[in-house]
Amino acid sequence: MLDVLNAVLVVVMILNLFALGTSRINSVIRIVAVEGALLGPVPLLLHGAGDISGASVLAAAVAVVLKGLVIPAIMRRSLRAADIKREVEPFVGFLPSVLLGAVGTGIALVFSARMGSGGGSTANLIIPAAIATILVGFIILTTRWKALSQVIGYLMLENGIFIFGMLLVEAIPFVVEMGVLLDLFVGIFVISIITNHINEAFSSMDTRKLASLKEE
Amino acid sequence: MALGMIFLPLLLAGVAALIPSNRLRPWVLPFAGIIHLAMFVCVVTVPGLADWSLFQGEGALLGLDPAGTVILGLVSGLFALASIYSVGYLGHRQDRPNRVFIAGLLAFLGFASVVPWSRHLGLAWVAIEATTLSMAPLIYFNHSKRSIEATWKYLLVGSVGIALALLGTFFIAYSSLSAGLPASMDIDTLSVNAALLSKPWLHAAFILALIGYGTKMGLAPMHTWKPDAYGEAPGVVGAIFAGGVTSIAFLAFLRFYVIVGRAGEASFASRLLLPMGLLSMAVAGVFMIGQRDFKRMLAYSSVEHMGILMIGLGVGGPALFGTMLHVVTNGATKGVLFLSAGNIHRAYASKSTDRVRGALRRLPLSASFFLAAFFAITGSPPFGPFVSEFSIISAAFGTGHYLGAALFLLFLLVVFVGMGRTVLTVLQGRVPVQETAPADAAYRDDFLTVAPVAILMSVVLLLGLWIPAPLGELLNNAAHLIGGAA
């Protein structure tokens, strides 16, 4: 079981770097969707074979459907409506941001080894993978200009936090788990409506155009 | 009763969305607001319901403690008055469909009620994130380019900030696991085990909660979305934000503060909170000087007062009573300011001091309340904020925070001067010759948009003169609970 978990987390960390390196927004959406779908069922592995409840299966299924299918579909629609394909000239280039992400992942591994994981050896990779994914999410969020790319960065940040949550499966009641997923879904839904309006009003998804509100 | 306060507004949000008439729909708001307030009064007065151990037990998700009661009462009361105002406001704004606006406001009330009732940090987080989302369409009410920009910034900054608060929530649960205890997000369990929690994870959790919920409160330097959102949103939305949203975010942060305090790390918290609070006051002061947009000015005033709350927590001990009181007095005064500013904005169709002058002649009532609330919020006696700010400052001097207290006073002065100039420009002088649409020129104060402001203003005045015994007791209990002496 642990091997499967660690394998998934390694795949996620590699996917993160691919997301940093590609300019095609559609590919980045797909990478984040694959990450979300891979991570969805992982909490089931941690429960142990004996006590998998119906609720936890349901939560995993909802996570997979939302993150793997529904949210990417919403984002692809916005992408088509905006008629854009690539992120051009990000604030930090694609190659440097891959390097940045790789260094960040390394630091996350060192950091979590230093912090010491107390709760047994459930999975030593959970904390570094969570922190690395959060960092990569931040890099995308802060260095890309297109509104949609920034939303993807936010999604990746959420994926990272979701990974950390795996350590805490027994402390998160079903209501809260579903609440978090529902918030994420509604959040992306509302944000994508706004990005569509940005595109209509400014004929662009470039957030640098959103600069009329400031101190004079 | 908890479930009623949460689900009734959500249900009514659905009902409001189904009502076809743009003219009748706003009346759902006061209906929900007044029932909600009545339920709150029942909870406080009927002994069985007020007993906060009612829901106590293993894994109980809902329960009301004194700190939660203070915030719940503030949100409920403010919403009830703002909802009456909204009927008047939306009556003037029949040009815009209000279906989403009203549903969003009601959904906010439902989710905001979850936070004070919540005994689980994860549940509180879910509710705060839900309020973030339900408030987004309200900023976007005017559907202009500027309001899109404000909404986008609000959503992005707010969502990322609140995501960090979730990480902080996970970290605090992990600090329990890391210490060999079962992972927990239950406020009471964490408080009991506080001394045992793993220190590095607890510190990290506190910092993340401060950044995350601080973004929602609008502490500098995470306040950037705030002037934009408050500036572009209708006044009534500003009132709900500055009095309601910030207060529930403060409460969520307070839960972390209490646990950190119980863990014997109050000095760690204080080292972070005092500079953070003073920075917010300083930033607010700088941007208020020469501010020509009076709604943005109010946003900075909100940044300033969130800073004051952080200073209150940073001083701790004797300042906690004043801090809890300040949540209430600031919330009520912000209500007056934003609602009356909304009326002035409507009458002039502008919120810049370049065009808005002579408001005392144009709208005598709204302008007078605006002026009184300006004196109140800047800490002049005999209003409520004077009492709470004075209590925080004297506690700061009493506990030896001389530098902090001196800077506090200096920044209050800067804010008074900066804000005073803008406010007086708006209120005094002659009304400029209007070249605006006749609809705006005909705008006058009316009952629905002035009466709620008058009631709020009298509350602000009352709290400055005399704190009713039950409220005083509640605030005392809350301060004891926060300070760990309970």
Side-chain angles (χ1 to χ4, degrees), chain A residues 111 115-120 127 131 134 138 141 146-148 150-151 154 157-158 160-162 164-168 170-173 175-177 179-180 182-184 186-188 190-191 193-195 197-198 201-202 207 209-216, chain B residues 61 120 122-123 125-130 133 136-137 140 143 145-153 155-156 159-160 162-164 166-167 169-171 173-174 177-180 182-186 200-201 204 227-229 232 287 290-292 296 300 354:
Chain A
F111 163 81
M115 278 290 257
S117 58
I127 294 175
I131 293 171
I134 291 166
F138 256 113
L141 196 62
K146 298 268 189 278
L148 263 179
Q150 296 178 355
V151 178
Y154 168 67
L157 182 76
E158 279 273 359
I161 296 172
F162 184 85
F164 196 92
M166 288 172 188
L167 289 167
L168 311 164
E170 71 269 34
I172 306 175
V175 194
V176 175
E177 204 170 347
V180 172
L182 193 67
D183 275 345
L184 182 67
V186 178
I188 295 296
V190 174
I191 291 177
I193 292 174
I194 297 294
T195 56
H197 282 261
I198 290 177
F202 294 84
T207 50
K209 300 227 163 131
L210 300 171
S212 58
L213 299 176
K214 53 178 183 271
E215 297 309 328
E216 288 145 10
Chain B
L61 286 176
H120 187 277
L123 185 64
W125 183 87
V126 168
I128 289 188
E129 168 73 2
L133 298 173
Y140 192 38
H143 280 238
K145 272 191 173 187
R146 293 168 64 89
S147 66
I148 295 180
E149 183 181 338
T151 313
W152 169 254
K153 288 178 177 168
L155 266 177
L156 202 70
S159 306
V160 173
I162 208 85
L164 293 180
L166 179 62
L167 190 64
T169 309
F170 282 178
F171 272 25
Y174 189 70
L177 191 68
S178 180
S184 174
M185 292 184 203
D186 182 67
W201 287 103
D228 297 346
E232 298 313 310
F287 284 106
Q291 182 61 253
R292 297 214 304 272
R296 290 179 77 91
Y300 285 112
D354 297 341

Side-chain angles (χ1 to χ4, degrees), chain B residues 25 104 143 160 184 201 223 295 343 372 462:
Chain B
R25 200 183 296 120
H143 280 238
V160 173
S184 174
W201 287 103
H223 68 287
K295 276 169 120 178
N343 290 343
L462 177 77

Side-chain angles (χ1 to χ4, degrees), chain B residues 37-179:
Chain B
L37 187 59
M39 283 197 275
F40 172 74
V41 172
C42 285
V43 168
V44 182
T45 48
V46 180
L49 293 170
D51 184 8
W52 66 290
S53 61
L54 186 67
F55 291 94
Q56 213 89 336
E58 279 305 305
L61 286 176
L62 297 177
L64 200 60
D65 65 359
T69 313
V70 174
I71 306 292
L72 186 63
L74 171 67
V75 171
S76 188
L78 187 68
F79 189 93
L81 291 168
S83 66
I84 298 168
Y85 176 94
S86 308
V87 176
Y89 171 74
L90 292 170
H92 292 292
R93 294 304 309 271
Q94 287 298 318
D95 54 316
R96 290 228 48 87
N98 55 31
R99 185 186 303 265
V100 179
F101 183 87
I102 290 170
L105 268 181
L106 290 168
F108 161 78
L109 181 63
F111 293 126
S113 310
V114 178
V115 182
W117 279 103
S118 177
R119 303 308 301 164
H120 187 277
L121 292 172
L123 185 64
W125 183 87
V126 168
I128 289 188
E129 168 73 2
T131 62
T132 307
L133 298 173
S134 58
M135 292 302 276
L138 305 183
I139 303 174
Y140 192 38
F141 180 61
N142 287 314
H143 280 238
S144 62
K145 272 191 173 187
R146 293 168 64 89
S147 66
I148 295 180
E149 183 181 338
T151 313
W152 169 254
K153 288 178 177 168
Y154 160 77
L155 266 177
L156 202 70
V157 177
S159 306
V160 173
I162 208 85
L164 293 180
L166 179 62
L167 190 64
T169 309
F170 282 178
F171 272 25
I172 207 167
Y174 189 70
S175 76
S176 176
L177 191 68
S178 180

